[in-house]
Amino acid sequence: MTKRLEGKVALITGGTGGIGEATLELFLKEGAKVAAVGTNDEKLKKLKERFPDILTLKADVSKEEEVKSYVEKTLETFGKIDVFFNNAGIEGKINNLVDQSLEDYQRVIDINVTGVFLGMKYVIPVMQKQGNGSIINTSSVAGLIGSPGLSPYVASKHAVAGLTKTASLELAKENIRVNSIHPAPVNTRMMESIEKLINPQDAEAARKAFEDAVPMGRYAEPIEIANVVLFLASDESSFVTGSQYTVDGGMID
């Protein structure tokens, strides 16, 4: 039986995070060659030890030259980029909007918006030359609704949705598909961080409040997000572009 990504090359940013690593592992099982971008040397080293066949690349996705470099190195190694999982992101600080500092706001925008923009800016020409490709941008349920205390993050994830919609229209006739995923809380380090920021004295209570907001009553597991990304990366989604895939246990009705 043919694997769903046999012969494809996938580039993943945020590759050392929970969703990124789960997707990377799934892509490998489905036959893809994978390049993973991260910022932490130790995490990249451990990822390479676990998956020796991958290409690991250290880059700050908000820096244009570093984005150009990770795209060029992927091409040098594998010769093409069929799938781009534009996934890197940070949560920022928990504060009411008026108490958010401009510095903290800008850092979230730099990573979550500029990083997504630059990734597409340099991957799209590669896909245009090839005549095909699939881009999956990681937004959030917070990119469809509001979330008190997380104004920079919410703003950034709404922006990702807008960039996705626009790119999908620009590229629809070029056989390049662009879609976004919108996960509810996922059982990852990011959510652990948010729980502690919201309730430093009782992070477990914060987790329960998040779980109670999900009709299915729990967090998603990273593999449940990765399965949706796999569909969008594969040829099975050949007529899907400009779509927003909520992976949210029923949160967004």
Side-chain angles (χ1 to χ4, degrees), residues 8-130:
K8 293 186 184 294
V9 173
L11 172 60
I12 299 174
T13 65
T16 61
I19 294 172
E21 186 169 345
T23 304
L24 182 156
E25 183 174 11
L26 185 59
F27 279 10
L28 288 172
K29 287 178 180 176
E30 291 293 337
K33 295 176 181 177
V34 179
V37 179
T39 58
N40 184 288
D41 286 318
E42 187 60 31
K43 288 182 179 180
L44 286 168
K45 181 182 176 183
K46 288 180 179 178
L47 197 67
K48 180 71 171 177
E49 288 171 352
R50 187 178 174 204
F51 306 107
D53 293 335
I54 68 171
L55 172 66
T56 53
L57 301 162
K58 184 177 180 181
D60 180 339
V61 299
S62 70
K63 307 295 185 187
E64 186 167 10
E65 288 304 314
E66 295 186 30
V67 173
K68 287 173 66 176
S69 177
Y70 78 61
V71 172
E72 288 169 359
K73 287 176 181 176
T74 302
L75 282 175
E76 287 168 9
T77 303
F78 296 125
K80 60 176 182 171
I81 301 171
D82 300 294
V83 177
F84 181 37
F85 185 28
N86 207 1
N87 173 62
I90 59 173
E91 64 272 20
K93 301 285 182 67
I94 306 290
N95 253 326
N96 288 333
L97 189 150
V98 296
D99 296 317
Q100 292 278 357
S101 73
L102 180 58
E103 181 182 7
D104 290 336
Y105 165 84
Q106 193 61 59
R107 183 59 181 158
V108 173
I109 297 301
D110 285 347
I111 299 296
N112 294 6
V113 183
T114 304
V116 168
F117 166 78
L118 287 173
M120 289 199 291
K121 178 179 174 62
Y122 286 100
V123 168
I124 286 169
V126 175
M127 292 181 170
Q128 287 175 316
K129 188 175 181 180
Q130 295 168 179

Side-chain angles (χ1 to χ4, degrees), residues 79-231:
K80 60 176 182 171
I81 301 171
D82 300 294
V83 177
F84 181 37
F85 185 28
N86 207 1
N87 173 62
I90 59 173
E91 64 272 20
K93 301 285 182 67
I94 306 290
N95 253 326
N96 288 333
L97 189 150
V98 296
D99 296 317
Q100 292 278 357
S101 73
L102 180 58
E103 181 182 7
D104 290 336
Y105 165 84
Q106 193 61 59
R107 183 59 181 158
V108 173
I109 297 301
D110 285 347
I111 299 296
N112 294 6
V113 183
T114 304
V116 168
F117 166 78
L118 287 173
M120 289 199 291
K121 178 179 174 62
Y122 286 100
V123 168
I124 286 169
V126 175
M127 292 181 170
Q128 287 175 316
K129 188 175 181 180
Q130 295 168 179
N132 64 79
S134 175
I135 297 170
I136 305 102
N137 294 324
T138 299
S139 181
S140 166
V141 290
L144 300 171
I145 58 175
S147 185
L150 282 166
S151 53
Y153 181 79
V154 170
S156 74
K157 293 304 184 179
H158 275 76
V160 170
L163 286 170
T164 302
K165 289 285 189 183
T166 301
S168 71
L169 293 172
E170 291 177 354
L171 299 168
K173 287 183 166 53
E174 298 188 62
N175 199 30
I176 300 168
R177 299 178 294 104
V178 190
N179 295 286
S180 56
I181 59 165
H182 298 257
V186 183
N187 196 19
T188 61
R189 179 220 57 84
M190 180 181 283
M191 282 309 302
E192 289 178 7
S193 173
I194 290 173
E195 291 158 12
K196 290 172 184 174
L197 288 168
I198 286 178
N199 193 339
Q201 286 73 42
D202 191 355
E204 191 58 38
R207 181 183 178 107
K208 186 174 187 310
F210 278 119
E211 288 177 335
D212 288 345
V214 180
M216 290 183 73
R218 65 175 177 84
Y219 284 9
E221 293 301 323
I223 187 60
E224 294 178 299
I225 312 304
N227 282 328
V228 176
V229 179
L230 172 61
F231 166 70

